[in-house]
Amino acid sequence: MAFAQRRVHLKEQQRGADVTTIGTLLLHVPGFVCSLALVAGVSYLLLPGLGWLPTTLWIASGALAFHRPTESFFARHVLGLRYPTLKERDRLAPVWREVTARAGVDGRRYELWIEESDDLNALAAAGHIVGVTRFSLDHLPNGQLAAVLAHELGHHTGGHAWSSLLGYWYEQPSRLAWSALRRVTRVAILVARRISPGAAAVIVLVVGSFVLFLTFSVWYVVLPLLVAPYLLAAVGRRAELRADRHAAALGFAPMLSEVLTTMHTGEKAAESAARQAGAPAHPPGLLARLLSTHPDHHTRLHHLEPYLRPRG
């Protein structure tokens, strides 16, 4: 596809929050509540009388997801992305301009980044980050590259990227505390086992009793935390289908189906090579499929079918 510069008519509303975004935020509420209780407790313990200050700052820190310098730091040092070279920018610019023109979106609001990877992939993160792998940039023709970028733009215009980042950020204190508790318990059991098997059994009994007490006393928080990963994965799969629909509605359905088929073929080839190398084949089990944030190849193509039929 050859993309030429043309007049762009921008939509009045540049982005929104669809049902998957709202669902993601709601599913992160239990984790946020646990983190808030933990941050507030530690703050008031360390700073009596001023505990509200670090708690308030932590709550306000979520706004950094839309702060451009913070986003750039996140892209470079957390996601491992880099700025495109002049040659790469010349390759991306007309494709991105066409995608955003069709969507009625101001493309200058977003930053294009490159991931040094030999995989066919792209990503949308934070409030304004759109990343694409060097392999995708070097090997995809314009139409397919546009389809990939239109998919990632769909994550932004639907609010998927920032809601996922906010949920992840606000759950970090509780995740870190749980991870620390597990490590301390594991070390305590190993030390106790060296001393006496009975001492290790006592530690297991005490920790187990504490977990059970916590589960039954605040089940309305613990139960949502246990099922949240599966529900978040289901919402994530729905968000992927919505991003596919966004790209298809812009006219990139045939190109996107080609990209999906290429990705599926590559995955099958990798599995075949692993089997030939003697690696045991382990098809994903039920739990792995339930925790997958991306629909399978056939599901995505099925949802693209209405956009692939000739109109007449």
Side-chain angles (χ1 to χ4, degrees):
M1 298 179 68
F3 299 140
Q5 180 134 16
R6 55 193 172 90
R7 184 179 179 84
V8 178
H9 299 277
L10 300 181
K11 292 181 179 178
E12 182 178 354
Q13 185 178 1
Q14 291 287 292
R15 69 169 72 199
D18 61 27
V19 64
T20 58
T21 299
I22 303 301
T24 298
L25 293 175
L26 290 176
L27 289 172
H28 279 296
V29 167
F32 169 75
V33 171
C34 292
S35 294
L36 178 60
L38 182 65
V39 171
V42 173
S43 298
Y44 279 95
L45 182 64
L46 298 178
L47 297 171
L50 288 176
W52 60 270
L53 181 58
T55 304
T56 303
L57 291 175
W58 174 74
I59 295 175
S61 66
L64 293 176
F66 304 97
H67 181 238
R68 290 302 184 95
T70 304
E71 281 190 279
S72 297
F73 180 88
F74 175 76
R76 184 179 299 277
H77 299 287
V78 177
L79 299 179
L81 307 180
R82 62 169 174 81
Y83 285 119
T85 64
L86 183 60
K87 181 180 179 180
E88 291 168 338
R89 189 174 298 277
D90 289 341
R91 167 88 162 93
L92 278 172
V95 180
W96 181 244
R97 189 185 306 117
E98 177 68 19
V99 170
T100 53
R102 292 192 185 192
V105 170
D106 185 358
R108 295 170 299 180
R109 293 190 174 191
Y110 298 92
E111 290 188 2
L112 299 176
W113 293 75
I114 304 297
E115 178 184 359
E116 280 293 340
S117 171
D118 292 328
D119 295 328
L120 199 170
N121 201 6
L123 61 92
H128 308 90
I129 295 172
V130 177
V132 62
T133 62
R134 180 177 46 77
F135 178 90
S136 301
L137 188 63
D138 291 343
H139 292 84
L140 292 182
N142 281 353
Q144 294 184 16
L145 181 60
V148 170
L149 293 177
H151 173 93
E152 302 308 331
L153 180 62
H155 282 309
H156 275 300
T157 57
H160 311 156
W162 65 261
S163 61
S164 297
L165 179 59
L166 282 184
Y168 175 80
W169 170 250
Y170 282 128
E171 281 191 346
Q172 279 309 292
S174 57
R175 287 178 181 270
L176 292 174
W178 177 245
S179 178
L181 178 62
R182 291 175 57 186
R183 291 187 178 184
V184 169
T185 302
R186 189 179 297 114
V187 171
I189 292 175
L190 290 175
V191 172
R193 187 179 296 172
R194 292 177 177 271
I195 299 173
S196 166
V202 169
I203 292 177
V204 172
L205 181 62
V206 170
V207 174
S209 300
F210 173 75
V211 171
L212 286 176
F213 170 77
L214 196 63
T215 300
F216 286 108
S217 59
V218 288
W219 60 270
Y220 45 86
V221 174
V222 175
L223 184 60
L225 285 175
L226 293 176
V227 301
Y230 300 96
L231 297 178
L232 282 169
V235 171
R237 292 192 293 272
R238 181 58 56 181
E240 291 298 323
L241 294 177
R242 283 179 172 268
D244 284 350
R245 187 190 311 167
H246 178 268
L250 298 181
F252 298 114
M255 304 80 164
L256 183 58
S257 66
E258 293 170 356
V259 173
L260 294 176
T261 300
T262 300
M263 294 175 67
H264 182 64
T265 303
E267 292 171 359
K268 290 299 182 183
E271 293 175 2
S272 177
R275 285 195 297 268
Q276 292 179 0
H282 296 293
L286 176 61
L287 289 182
R289 293 197 299 271
L290 290 175
L291 288 172
S292 175
T293 58
H294 283 66
D296 61 77
H297 170 72
H298 301 289
T299 299
R300 296 181 72 172
L301 284 184
H302 172 73
H303 282 81
L304 284 177
E305 280 183 5
Y307 299 93
L308 297 172
R309 297 171 188 157
R311 298 179 181 179

PDB file of all heavy atoms in Angstrom, residues 226-239:
ATOM      1  N   LEU A 226      -8.306 -13.987  44.270  1.00  0.00           N
ATOM      2  CA  LEU A 226      -7.985 -15.305  43.716  1.00  0.00           C
ATOM      3  C   LEU A 226      -8.524 -15.486  42.304  1.00  0.00           C
ATOM      4  O   LEU A 226      -7.882 -16.113  41.458  1.00  0.00           O
ATOM      5  CB  LEU A 226      -8.544 -16.400  44.627  1.00  0.00           C
ATOM      6  CG  LEU A 226      -7.896 -16.526  46.010  1.00  0.00           C
ATOM      7  CD1 LEU A 226      -8.601 -17.592  46.844  1.00  0.00           C
ATOM      8  CD2 LEU A 226      -6.413 -16.856  45.887  1.00  0.00           C
ATOM      9  N   VAL A 227      -9.703 -14.929  42.049  1.00  0.00           N
ATOM     10  CA  VAL A 227     -10.304 -15.117  40.726  1.00  0.00           C
ATOM     11  C   VAL A 227      -9.938 -13.999  39.762  1.00  0.00           C
ATOM     12  O   VAL A 227     -10.142 -14.132  38.550  1.00  0.00           O
ATOM     13  CB  VAL A 227     -11.844 -15.225  40.838  1.00  0.00           C
ATOM     14  CG1 VAL A 227     -12.228 -16.389  41.722  1.00  0.00           C
ATOM     15  CG2 VAL A 227     -12.456 -13.932  41.361  1.00  0.00           C
ATOM     16  N   ALA A 228      -9.386 -12.892  40.283  1.00  0.00           N
ATOM     17  CA  ALA A 228      -9.072 -11.737  39.434  1.00  0.00           C
ATOM     18  C   ALA A 228      -8.149 -12.079  38.265  1.00  0.00           C
ATOM     19  O   ALA A 228      -8.391 -11.605  37.140  1.00  0.00           O
ATOM     20  CB  ALA A 228      -8.481 -10.605  40.273  1.00  0.00           C
ATOM     21  N   PRO A 229      -7.065 -12.883  38.441  1.00  0.00           N
ATOM     22  CA  PRO A 229      -6.185 -13.165  37.294  1.00  0.00           C
ATOM     23  C   PRO A 229      -6.920 -13.818  36.125  1.00  0.00           C
ATOM     24  O   PRO A 229      -6.640 -13.500  34.960  1.00  0.00           O
ATOM     25  CB  PRO A 229      -5.129 -14.108  37.887  1.00  0.00           C
ATOM     26  CG  PRO A 229      -5.103 -13.772  39.342  1.00  0.00           C
ATOM     27  CD  PRO A 229      -6.510 -13.446  39.697  1.00  0.00           C
ATOM     28  N   TYR A 230      -7.870 -14.707  36.422  1.00  0.00           N
ATOM     29  CA  TYR A 230      -8.610 -15.379  35.347  1.00  0.00           C
ATOM     30  C   TYR A 230      -9.583 -14.411  34.668  1.00  0.00           C
ATOM     31  O   TYR A 230      -9.726 -14.423  33.437  1.00  0.00           O
ATOM     32  CB  TYR A 230      -9.363 -16.579  35.920  1.00  0.00           C
ATOM     33  CG  TYR A 230      -8.447 -17.583  36.561  1.00  0.00           C
ATOM     34  CD1 TYR A 230      -8.208 -17.567  37.931  1.00  0.00           C
ATOM     35  CD2 TYR A 230      -7.796 -18.548  35.785  1.00  0.00           C
ATOM     36  CE1 TYR A 230      -7.352 -18.480  38.520  1.00  0.00           C
ATOM     37  CE2 TYR A 230      -6.944 -19.471  36.368  1.00  0.00           C
ATOM     38  CZ  TYR A 230      -6.717 -19.437  37.737  1.00  0.00           C
ATOM     39  OH  TYR A 230      -5.857 -20.334  38.313  1.00  0.00           O
ATOM     40  N   LEU A 231     -10.241 -13.568  35.470  1.00  0.00           N
ATOM     41  CA  LEU A 231     -11.162 -12.587  34.901  1.00  0.00           C
ATOM     42  C   LEU A 231     -10.411 -11.519  34.109  1.00  0.00           C
ATOM     43  O   LEU A 231     -10.864 -11.074  33.055  1.00  0.00           O
ATOM     44  CB  LEU A 231     -11.997 -11.945  36.011  1.00  0.00           C
ATOM     45  CG  LEU A 231     -12.916 -12.888  36.778  1.00  0.00           C
ATOM     46  CD1 LEU A 231     -13.661 -12.137  37.878  1.00  0.00           C
ATOM     47  CD2 LEU A 231     -13.907 -13.563  35.832  1.00  0.00           C
ATOM     48  N   LEU A 232      -9.240 -11.093  34.624  1.00  0.00           N
ATOM     49  CA  LEU A 232      -8.432 -10.107  33.903  1.00  0.00           C
ATOM     50  C   LEU A 232      -7.941 -10.672  32.571  1.00  0.00           C
ATOM     51  O   LEU A 232      -7.885  -9.952  31.563  1.00  0.00           O
ATOM     52  CB  LEU A 232      -7.247  -9.670  34.757  1.00  0.00           C
ATOM     53  CG  LEU A 232      -7.539  -8.659  35.863  1.00  0.00           C
ATOM     54  CD1 LEU A 232      -6.346  -8.513  36.795  1.00  0.00           C
ATOM     55  CD2 LEU A 232      -7.915  -7.301  35.255  1.00  0.00           C
ATOM     56  N   ALA A 233      -7.579 -11.959  32.566  1.00  0.00           N
ATOM     57  CA  ALA A 233      -7.157 -12.582  31.308  1.00  0.00           C
ATOM     58  C   ALA A 233      -8.312 -12.618  30.310  1.00  0.00           C
ATOM     59  O   ALA A 233      -8.122 -12.363  29.116  1.00  0.00           O
ATOM     60  CB  ALA A 233      -6.635 -13.989  31.572  1.00  0.00           C
ATOM     61  N   ALA A 234      -9.521 -12.919  30.802  1.00  0.00           N
ATOM     62  CA  ALA A 234     -10.686 -12.937  29.916  1.00  0.00           C
ATOM     63  C   ALA A 234     -10.968 -11.547  29.358  1.00  0.00           C
ATOM     64  O   ALA A 234     -11.269 -11.394  28.164  1.00  0.00           O
ATOM     65  CB  ALA A 234     -11.905 -13.465  30.678  1.00  0.00           C
ATOM     66  N   VAL A 235     -10.867 -10.528  30.206  1.00  0.00           N
ATOM     67  CA  VAL A 235     -11.058  -9.157  29.746  1.00  0.00           C
ATOM     68  C   VAL A 235      -9.955  -8.779  28.755  1.00  0.00           C
ATOM     69  O   VAL A 235     -10.204  -8.081  27.765  1.00  0.00           O
ATOM     70  CB  VAL A 235     -11.077  -8.190  30.944  1.00  0.00           C
ATOM     71  CG1 VAL A 235     -11.054  -6.741  30.472  1.00  0.00           C
ATOM     72  CG2 VAL A 235     -12.318  -8.433  31.801  1.00  0.00           C
ATOM     73  N   GLY A 236      -8.726  -9.239  29.017  1.00  0.00           N
ATOM     74  CA  GLY A 236      -7.621  -8.972  28.102  1.00  0.00           C
ATOM     75  C   GLY A 236      -7.872  -9.569  26.724  1.00  0.00           C
ATOM     76  O   GLY A 236      -7.571  -8.936  25.699  1.00  0.00           O
ATOM     77  N   ARG A 237      -8.431 -10.783  26.687  1.00  0.00           N
ATOM     78  CA  ARG A 237      -8.742 -11.397  25.392  1.00  0.00           C
ATOM     79  C   ARG A 237      -9.811 -10.587  24.658  1.00  0.00           C
ATOM     80  O   ARG A 237      -9.748 -10.415  23.438  1.00  0.00           O
ATOM     81  CB  ARG A 237      -9.197 -12.847  25.600  1.00  0.00           C
ATOM     82  CG  ARG A 237      -8.094 -13.773  26.102  1.00  0.00           C
ATOM     83  CD  ARG A 237      -8.506 -15.227  26.012  1.00  0.00           C
ATOM     84  NE  ARG A 237      -9.595 -15.569  26.932  1.00  0.00           N
ATOM     85  CZ  ARG A 237      -9.427 -15.967  28.190  1.00  0.00           C
ATOM     86  NH1 ARG A 237      -8.201 -16.057  28.678  1.00  0.00           N
ATOM     87  NH2 ARG A 237     -10.459 -16.283  28.946  1.00  0.00           N
ATOM     88  N   ARG A 238     -10.788 -10.102  25.412  1.00  0.00           N
ATOM     89  CA  ARG A 238     -11.817  -9.273  24.797  1.00  0.00           C
ATOM     90  C   ARG A 238     -11.224  -7.960  24.274  1.00  0.00           C
ATOM     91  O   ARG A 238     -11.620  -7.472  23.203  1.00  0.00           O
ATOM     92  CB  ARG A 238     -12.913  -8.988  25.820  1.00  0.00           C
ATOM     93  CG  ARG A 238     -14.064  -8.148  25.319  1.00  0.00           C
ATOM     94  CD  ARG A 238     -14.740  -8.759  24.124  1.00  0.00           C
ATOM     95  NE  ARG A 238     -15.217 -10.106  24.372  1.00  0.00           N
ATOM     96  CZ  ARG A 238     -15.823 -10.869  23.475  1.00  0.00           C
ATOM     97  NH1 ARG A 238     -15.993 -10.402  22.247  1.00  0.00           N
ATOM     98  NH2 ARG A 238     -16.231 -12.083  23.779  1.00  0.00           N
ATOM     99  N   ALA A 239     -10.262  -7.393  25.004  1.00  0.00           N
ATOM    100  CA  ALA A 239      -9.618  -6.161  24.557  1.00  0.00           C
ATOM    101  C   ALA A 239      -8.848  -6.396  23.257  1.00  0.00           C
ATOM    102  O   ALA A 239      -8.827  -5.523  22.369  1.00  0.00           O
ATOM    103  CB  ALA A 239      -8.683  -5.626  25.641  1.00  0.00           C
TER     104      ALA A 239
END
